[in-house]
Amino acid sequence: MGLVLGCGVVHSNVIYDRKALVIDGQRRILFSGSIHYTRSTPEMWEDLINKAREGGIDVIQTYVFWNVHEPTPGNYNFEGRYDLVKFVKTIQKAGLYAHLRIGPYICAEWNFGGFPVWLKFVPGISFRTDNEPFKMAMQGFTEKIVNMMKSEKLYESQGGPIILSQIENEYEPQEGKMGSPGRAYASWAANMAVGLDTGVPWVMCKENDAPDPVINTCNGFYCDDFSPNKPNKPLMWTEAWTGWFTEFGGPTHQRPVEDLAFAVARFVQKGGAFVNYYMYHGGTNFGRSAGGLYITTTYDYDAPLDEYGLIRQPKYGHLKELHKAVKQSERALTSADPTVTSLGSLQEAHVYTSESGDCAAFLANYDTENRAMVTFKSKQYNLPPWSISILPNCQTEAFNTAKVGVQTSHMEMISTNTLIQSWQTYNEDVYPVYDDFGSFSSGLLEQINITRDITDYLWYKTSVEVDESESFLKTQELPTLIVHSMGDGLHVFVNGELAGSSFGTKKNTRFTFTEGINLHAGTNVIALLSVAIGLPNVGIHFEEWSTGVLGPVALEGFNQGRRDLSWSNWTYQVGLRGEDMSLFAPSSDSSIDWTTVSLGVQNLPLSWYKGYFDAPEGDEPLALDMSTMGKGQIWINGQSLGRYWMIDSTGNCSSSGCGYTGIFRRTDCQVGCGEPTQRWYHLPRPWLKPTQNLLVIFEELGGDPTKITVSTRSLNTVCADVSEYHPSITKWEPVAHLNCGSGKSISSIEFASFGTPVGKCGSFLRGDCHASKSNSVIQQSCIGKQGCSVAISSMTFGEDPCPNVLKRLSVEARCSPTP
């Protein structure tokens, strides 16, 4: 790696062979973690990267986000959260490598897949195929990023941290649809990238025909069945999914760390040399950056570092132990091929033995239900179901993927005593919508073609004449309005009153609004507010995608039957009046007629609210509890926190918990059903002032802003659950560790038992075997301390409560602020 040593800089080459990446002449097994600079604040970067390093991560991987860097053609933005150079230099400062996934198509649940929307309007363009306008724009941006990195000397060949770059992204599924133009484009993209002469290898993920010298890599929950397309290329996994993203209306996804560790160990035992966790820190989709339709503002991803940058245990710690065990095996893994031997019907050993005498073994049990006692080199090993044990010296079990010995941490959202005061409201114009209503058209127009995605909102307005002779005026049977929408949401106003709202879903963005509406004799105004909830992020012909109200729009219940409004005269207004007036900005026009919020008038649709609050003391992460609101957007001191929506989640949640054995699918391990998909919204402390912080809300459906609260994300419960024969990398005697983190100490022991306790953190119960001094020993060792360690042995607890029985120690402790 390029490290500053005294007054000089060490320059090293990055090449590869079939075993691994070779950095400065040394083959390396590398663990990488995805951290996206745009999904956190610059003030968070150093802490996130340092935590990754402490977790055994060697490489930080990030996409490069074209749409934020080039918002309009030729005009670039690399400031604040978009300061890519600063982010890469922060990686370098921590002594880590970097993997730059330039794309520039990135997917990533990011708006428009990372493409700037202006690209859609380039004449003659066709996305991600052998199309000259697209290739010219793509090459221009790729060169911009590469030249920027070169000018700052950030490639490893220049003494910088970047050891890998990626061009395109998951193109193979699209290439098959495109045929020969797709194959030509993939080959062009690879050759264009290699021609930029970065001095480091390029990769293409999910691209089996990646041309030499580009390395094709794997993405997925598992990659042990993947092989590179040439025997001289290393086995690389660019996205090991640590969880899954969340959609409004869907559940929260979790992936057991035992299964994730099993997947990684299985990949490494086959010869895998590079594993990147997607995500290692997911972060937050601030502003309107979430894409892929209905994607939440949180991008937590059940990652080892949670959305707020806090360590998620046991996932973080268990993977850290895995990394240590693999690193101890690195010399054998990179200098030999495995010998595979059977240890049973569903058990096997992968053994690496080098000419220099290094030896490492992986003992695997693929049985999803039963433990297995296997014999290897005349010694017995107990393998839990669906697990792999790593023996760095072919003798000592240093790690087992299913034996979790690190603490479990339970985070809680704790309401602060912060008061949000001086609430005022401004009602968005509904009827008449605007005097200068905007553009006119005979017929319905596609939304993005008009808005250019500068806003989520587009008004469609038309008028309907009703004759006094219409029967429904006498019978009071309401005529029915039918509106077909391409997505994503719709609010219908008739004569200035809300007639109803409808929304699509991730699976089916198209939907139909069908409601009876009140019409009177004479002229009636129908105003449709179409709402985009992020643009699609997956596919090929981005230039052809459509959203908004494209019809048909019709009325039923008239004397003459169905009345089609699709080709009526429609007028359009881009965005909201409040957006046009920048109501969210601290410097907005002081003459705007805000009114004080009164009891009973809060639950109004299309309402703006603003209030003020002082920053809570301390340094714990903050969030807004939006549970009393409906749907809309949030700004703090003029910066957008993102979209919010209190829609309840539906899914396949199980009250019995989530097992780790067997092939994991994203439909497994779902939680949160029946609750709002996302209740809390990250409030970055760097965005706050000590006092008088301006909070602005735009509410679409109706809610009570006076009950919005500021919460802290706090570690309040820690647990340990470790057996007396738990594998250990550093010592034979297993140890239970508890730690409340900086500024907190262990205040009480809620449960402690050495013996045969059952259950899990939060629901431990004593078993038939229990050491009577369990609680007193743990209290004496831990109370009042930030952290403590307790040896798991009968000697520690003064007795062996059940001889010849495998015992474990289970502890649950509460954390409180240190006095």
Side-chain angles (χ1 to χ4, degrees):
M1 184 179 181
L3 299 176
V4 177
L5 299 175
C7 299
V9 176
V10 177
H11 296 248
S12 61
N13 295 319
V14 183
I15 57 175
Y16 64 81
D17 60 20
R18 67 183 185 89
K19 293 297 295 180
L21 291 178
V22 181
I23 304 175
D24 201 20
Q26 181 180 356
R27 288 175 177 157
R28 297 291 306 276
I29 302 293
L30 296 172
F31 291 102
S32 173
S34 288
I35 299 176
H36 295 161
Y37 54 99
T38 57
R39 285 175 158 141
S40 57
T41 66
E43 294 82 359
M44 296 172 65
W45 292 345
E46 186 168 4
D47 180 63
L48 294 172
I49 292 166
N50 286 339
K51 285 175 178 174
R53 181 191 61 205
E54 292 301 311
I57 294 299
D58 306 294
V59 184
I60 300 299
Q61 183 192 89
T62 185
Y63 280 122
V64 178
F65 299 79
W66 188 358
N67 62 342
V68 303
H69 291 309
E70 193 176 5
T72 58
N75 296 308
Y76 296 97
N77 181 5
F78 291 95
E79 303 297 323
R81 294 203 326 275
Y82 308 147
D83 192 339
L84 177 59
V85 167
K86 180 178 180 179
F87 182 73
V88 175
K89 287 184 175 180
T90 305
I91 296 171
Q92 183 177 30
K93 179 182 176 183
L96 299 183
Y97 299 121
H99 177 197
L100 213 58
R101 303 178 80 186
I102 298 176
Y105 165 71
I106 62 171
C107 184
E109 291 69 61
W110 194 260
N111 197 54
F112 216 47
F115 288 128
V117 172
W118 58 259
L119 201 62
K120 170 182 167 72
F121 304 102
V122 172
I125 200 164
S126 184
F127 282 58
R128 304 182 74 196
T129 189
D130 191 17
N131 171 267
E132 290 304 319
F134 177 76
K135 291 193 297 182
M136 182 181 297
M138 173 179 167
Q139 181 170 349
F141 181 73
T142 304
E143 289 176 344
K144 172 74 176 180
I145 297 301
V146 168
N147 290 337
M148 179 181 291
M149 297 301 106
K150 283 183 176 180
S151 68
E152 297 289 339
K153 301 188 183 306
L154 292 176
Y155 283 103
E156 180 75 10
S157 55
Q158 303 172 294
I162 301 173
I163 60 169
L164 285 170
S165 293
Q166 178 179 303
I167 195 70
E168 248 296 336
N169 190 52
E170 299 183 328
Y171 187 65
E172 184 179 344
Q174 315 306 328
E175 182 181 324
K177 300 174 185 177
M178 299 297 294
S180 58
R183 290 189 293 274
Y185 163 70
S187 178
W188 168 86
N191 291 327
M192 179 270 291
V194 172
L196 296 177
D197 191 26
T198 62
V200 303
W202 287 84
V203 303
M204 297 179 83
C205 64
K206 296 180 74 170
E207 182 63 36
N208 282 342
D209 62 354
D212 294 341
V214 175
I215 307 168
N216 63 306
T217 66
C218 182
N219 293 353
F221 287 118
Y222 305 92
C223 280
D224 49 278
D225 61 350
F226 169 79
S227 296
N229 61 14
K230 292 291 179 63
N232 65 318
K233 296 179 182 179
L235 194 57
M236 300 179 65
W237 190 356
T238 37
E239 289 188 15
W241 298 332
T242 57
W244 200 247
F245 57 84
T246 308
E247 307 156 10
F248 283 119
T252 298
H253 302 270
Q254 297 179 342
R255 185 180 187 185
V257 69
E258 299 94 328
D259 178 69
L260 177 58
F262 174 82
V264 173
R266 194 170 184 177
F267 180 74
V268 174
Q269 78 173 5
K270 182 188 174 181
F274 180 96
V275 178
N276 175 74
Y277 297 103
Y278 189 98
M279 299 293 296
Y280 200 80
H281 168 257
T284 306
N285 292 318
F286 295 115
R288 299 172 51 251
S289 62
L293 304 175
Y294 307 100
I295 300 299
T296 54
T297 298
T298 178
Y299 199 65
D300 182 87
Y301 224 90
D302 198 35
L305 301 179
D306 72 11
E307 177 185 4
Y308 301 83
L310 300 177
I311 290 173
R312 172 175 277 119
Q313 296 283 30
K315 185 165 281 189
Y316 175 92
H318 194 51
L319 294 178
K320 178 178 180 178
E321 296 299 306
L322 167 64
H323 303 154
K324 288 180 181 178
V326 172
K327 289 294 187 179
Q328 288 186 355
S329 311
E330 185 176 39
R331 285 196 304 180
L333 290 170
T334 57
S335 57
D337 292 325
T339 299
V340 183
T341 58
S342 174
L343 301 176
S345 60
L346 291 171
Q347 296 78 37
E348 64 182 14
H350 287 67
V351 183
Y352 289 80
T353 305
S354 71
E355 293 182 356
S356 61
D358 295 303
C359 184
F362 292 71
L363 310 183
N365 179 16
Y366 304 129
D367 194 317
T368 61
E369 297 180 359
N370 302 302
R371 286 180 172 269
M373 186 67 74
V374 301
T375 301
F376 175 72
K377 290 185 177 293
S378 303
K379 187 176 179 180
Q380 287 191 320
Y381 298 88
N382 190 340
L383 305 180
W386 197 250
S387 77
I388 296 175
S389 284
I390 301 177
L391 287 59
N393 59 2
C394 285
Q395 293 182 0
T396 305
E397 181 189 40
F399 179 83
N400 178 275
T401 58
K403 298 176 183 178
V404 180
V406 298
Q407 77 175 25
T408 296
S409 301
H410 280 183
M411 298 293 179
E412 298 180 28
M413 305 303 291
I414 308 298
S415 181
T416 67
N417 57 5
T418 301
L419 296 178
I420 306 177
Q421 304 181 82
S422 306
W423 279 108
Q424 292 182 298
T425 184
Y426 176 89
N427 293 328
E428 182 66 28
D429 287 327
V430 176
Y431 174 74
V433 181
Y434 290 171
D435 292 334
D436 53 345
F437 191 62
S439 58
F440 298 81
S441 173
S442 176
L444 297 163
L445 301 178
E446 194 276 332
Q447 182 166 340
I448 304 305
N449 285 339
I450 301 175
T451 66
R452 304 293 172 112
D453 197 43
I454 64 170
T455 173
D456 282 354
Y457 304 103
L458 177 65
W459 284 104
Y460 296 71
K461 175 191 170 188
T462 192
S463 60
V464 176
E465 296 296 327
V466 175
D467 193 87
E468 294 180 353
S469 64
E470 290 293 343
S471 299
F472 64 76
L473 295 174
K474 302 178 180 63
T475 63
Q476 295 186 342
E477 291 186 10
L478 298 179
T480 301
L481 176 64
I482 303 169
V483 182
H484 292 270
S485 175
M486 295 288 289
D488 304 323
L490 184 71
H491 304 300
V492 177
F493 293 83
V494 179
N495 297 324
E497 298 294 329
L498 180 66
S501 301
S502 290
F503 298 93
T505 65
K506 171 77 173 179
K507 292 182 179 178
N508 189 7
T509 59
R510 301 186 183 192
F511 62 91
T512 302
F513 173 91
T514 306
E515 294 284 347
I517 61 172
N518 285 301
L519 297 178
H520 54 69
T523 302
N524 296 264
V525 177
I526 295 177
L528 311 176
L529 182 59
S530 181
V531 185
I533 311 175
L535 301 186
N537 68 316
V538 177
I540 39 180
H541 289 297
F542 283 52
E543 73 279 359
E544 297 178 359
W545 290 347
S546 300
T547 193
V549 180
L550 296 182
V553 176
L555 283 166
E556 293 184 347
F558 281 72
N559 292 346
Q560 300 300 317
R562 181 184 178 95
R563 184 181 293 188
D564 191 348
L565 305 180
S566 304
W567 291 97
S568 297
N569 290 323
W570 290 86
T571 51
Y572 300 85
Q573 178 63 47
V574 173
L576 306 168
R577 173 64 64 85
E579 288 179 308
D580 186 59
M581 295 189 296
S582 300
L583 292 185
F584 49 81
S587 58
S588 60
D589 189 347
S590 59
S591 66
I592 295 172
D593 188 21
W594 291 88
T595 59
T596 301
V597 171
S598 303
L599 277 175
V601 300
Q602 295 96 324
N603 289 289
L604 298 175
L606 299 198
S607 296
W608 293 82
Y609 299 101
K610 71 173 181 178
Y612 294 88
F613 67 97
D614 296 341
E617 295 181 355
D619 58 4
E620 290 182 307
L622 301 175
L624 289 175
D625 183 347
M626 300 295 291
S627 57
T628 63
M629 303 301 288
K631 178 184 179 299
Q633 297 184 33
I634 313 169
W635 293 264
I636 180 71
N637 294 327
Q639 299 202 65
S640 176
L641 295 186
R643 303 181 182 100
Y644 70 89
W645 194 1
M646 292 302 107
I647 186 173
D648 284 345
S649 62
T650 58
N652 301 312
C653 300
S654 172
S655 58
S656 60
C658 174
Y660 74 88
T661 59
I663 297 295
F664 178 82
R665 297 174 177 84
R666 63 185 179 88
T667 52
D668 301 333
C669 301
Q670 300 180 353
V671 297
C673 296
E675 303 172 357
T677 299
Q678 184 179 355
R679 175 177 170 179
W680 286 277
Y681 292 79
H682 183 201
L683 182 62
R685 280 190 179 270
W687 292 7
L688 299 182
K689 305 179 295 182
T691 61
Q692 286 292 294
N693 293 286
L694 172 64
L695 172 63
V696 176
I697 309 291
F698 174 66
E699 171 59 50
E700 296 177 23
L701 301 172
D704 186 353
T706 64
K707 295 180 181 177
I708 295 173
T709 58
V710 179
S711 300
T712 59
R713 185 162 177 82
S714 303
L715 172 60
N716 287 331
T717 302
V718 293
C719 296
D721 186 27
V722 187
S723 74
E724 60 179 335
Y725 294 116
H726 187 83
S728 174
I729 291 175
T730 56
K731 53 180 69 176
W732 286 98
E733 185 177 63
V735 175
H737 301 280
L738 296 172
N739 196 299
C740 289
S742 177
K744 289 197 169 185
S745 55
I746 298 171
S747 57
S748 65
I749 304 300
E750 302 298 306
F751 179 90
S753 178
F754 175 66
T756 57
V758 295
K760 59 183 181 178
C761 186
S763 59
F764 286 132
L765 295 172
R766 285 187 186 179
D768 295 332
C769 169
H770 170 72
S772 59
K773 295 183 179 179
S774 298
N775 198 69
S776 60
V777 169
I778 300 300
Q779 285 191 351
Q780 183 175 0
S781 300
C782 301
I783 292 294
K785 300 177 182 178
Q786 177 181 316
C788 61
S789 300
V790 179
I792 301 170
S793 68
S794 298
M795 183 178 297
T796 300
F797 295 93
E799 63 173 315
D800 186 343
C802 41
N804 302 317
V805 173
L806 179 65
K807 293 169 283 295
R808 63 190 311 106
L809 173 64
S810 298
V811 181
E812 179 178 333
R814 294 288 292 178
C815 300
S816 300
T818 301

